[in-house]
Amino acid sequence: MKKAFPVMKTCPLFAGIAESDYETLLSALSAKEDFFPKHDTVIQIGDPGKRAGLVLSGTLEVAFYDENASPVSVTRIESGNVFGAMMLCANVTDSSMHLRAISDCTLLFLDFSRLLRNTERQSHAETRLAANLLGYFAKRSLLLTQKIRILGQKKLRDKLKLYFNTLPKQKSGVRKLPLSKTELASFLYADRSALSRELSRMQEEGIIAMEGKEIVILDPDFLA
């Protein structure tokens, strides 16, 4: 399990926990490492919400299916981030989300539900992890609220406006899109052709400049 230590050091969930406590903590959480090739499913819709842990390498995608059985991307989970913890701790028995590997992934499965049991016997590391997990849940709730707000917009340009606002801006003013156009269309629940047309119009109107996955907002009033 020591291969997981470098990733744990970068994960906010393990902030304030000494590396010397990692091995005991992982044992207490029944840690188990597993590999998932690209496109493999980690959690199916309808599965019990019993799989949670830390992404050691690769990227996962969280999605659900609409009434036409088309996938709707909710978010991506990169290396150093947690998956499935909310469902596990909420004791969800029927997952409404589909979790799949969109690249080769190494996952460290952890039984976070232990943190809700035997609290009087918890170690300092477990107590700190529980506090960090609460902060994680709060941040995830805010992100999901943000996604709902984006999907709630009727106009595609308004969806793009809110989405661009979520992207970190570099000192040069460049914002990097983490998604391809196809993936962005799925994330925004929009048609890919309509998305391409809208982005082209925005460039023609001088609102944005775009090259590849790099975008610059030329009109400061657009994001106001």
Side-chain angles (χ1 to χ4, degrees), residues 2-59:
K2 289 186 177 180
K3 292 187 295 184
F5 290 5
V7 180
M8 292 170 68
K9 286 181 181 179
T10 67
C11 179
L13 196 63
F14 298 94
I17 299 174
E19 184 177 347
S20 58
D21 291 330
Y22 283 179
E23 199 159 351
T24 302
L25 181 61
L26 291 180
S27 177
L29 297 176
S30 303
K32 180 183 177 182
E33 187 178 309
D34 204 352
F35 174 76
F36 290 79
K38 183 178 180 180
H39 301 313
D40 260 24
T41 293
V42 180
I43 300 175
Q44 289 266 27
I45 290 178
D47 283 352
K50 301 297 183 183
R51 309 197 86 182
L54 178 67
V55 180
L56 297 181
S57 66
T59 304

Side-chain angles (χ1 to χ4, degrees), residues 111 113 161 189:
D111 183 10
S113 66
K161 173 182 176 178
Y189 201 45

Side-chain angles (χ1 to χ4, degrees), residues 10-149:
T10 67
C11 179
L13 196 63
F14 298 94
I17 299 174
E19 184 177 347
S20 58
D21 291 330
Y22 283 179
E23 199 159 351
T24 302
L25 181 61
L26 291 180
S27 177
L29 297 176
S30 303
K32 180 183 177 182
E33 187 178 309
D34 204 352
F35 174 76
F36 290 79
K38 183 178 180 180
H39 301 313
D40 260 24
T41 293
V42 180
I43 300 175
Q44 289 266 27
I45 290 178
D47 283 352
K50 301 297 183 183
R51 309 197 86 182
L54 178 67
V55 180
L56 297 181
S57 66
T59 304
L60 298 174
E61 181 184 57
V62 182
F64 65 88
Y65 290 89
D66 64 15
E67 286 73 12
N68 299 312
S70 299
V72 179
S73 176
V74 176
T75 188
R76 289 186 168 194
I77 305 173
E78 308 282 349
S79 174
N81 288 287
V82 177
F83 66 92
M86 295 180 77
M87 286 196 299
L88 179 64
C89 292
N91 199 28
V92 172
T93 57
D94 187 4
S95 173
S96 60
M97 293 294 176
H98 182 263
L99 186 67
R100 72 182 182 100
I102 57 174
S103 67
D104 289 349
C105 289
T106 301
L107 308 179
L108 184 67
F109 289 96
L110 302 167
D111 183 10
F112 292 117
S113 66
R114 174 189 164 88
L115 300 174
L116 305 179
R117 307 189 299 266
N118 301 322
T119 55
E120 294 180 359
R121 298 180 182 179
Q122 283 182 357
S123 66
H124 170 74
E126 288 175 286
T127 301
R128 183 56 189 259
L129 180 62
N132 291 344
L133 195 61
L134 183 61
Y136 163 78
F137 288 160
K139 289 179 181 177
R140 294 302 302 172
S141 178
L142 289 173
L143 287 174
L144 289 174
T145 300
Q146 197 173 56
K147 177 66 182 284
I148 291 170
R149 187 183 175 208

Side-chain angles (χ1 to χ4, degrees), residues 157-223:
R157 185 167 295 195
D158 290 336
K159 289 184 179 182
L160 286 167
K161 173 182 176 178
L162 292 176
Y163 177 72
F164 290 157
N165 254 322
T166 69
L167 301 177
K169 184 173 71 171
Q170 301 176 3
K171 290 182 180 180
S172 61
V174 172
R175 301 168 194 257
K176 288 193 174 183
L177 295 171
L179 308 174
S180 67
K181 284 187 179 179
T182 299
E183 293 164 341
L184 181 57
S186 175
F187 182 83
L188 298 175
Y189 201 45
D191 178 75
R192 188 190 185 285
S193 297
L195 174 64
S196 294
R197 289 195 298 270
E198 187 62 36
L199 289 172
S200 295
R201 279 195 291 264
M202 292 170 71
Q203 291 181 82
E204 292 169 1
E205 295 172 21
I207 297 173
I208 63 172
M210 192 172 179
E211 184 174 349
K213 289 189 174 184
E214 294 188 343
I215 184 169
V216 176
I217 308 299
L218 301 177
D219 181 359
D221 293 331
F222 175 64
L223 296 183

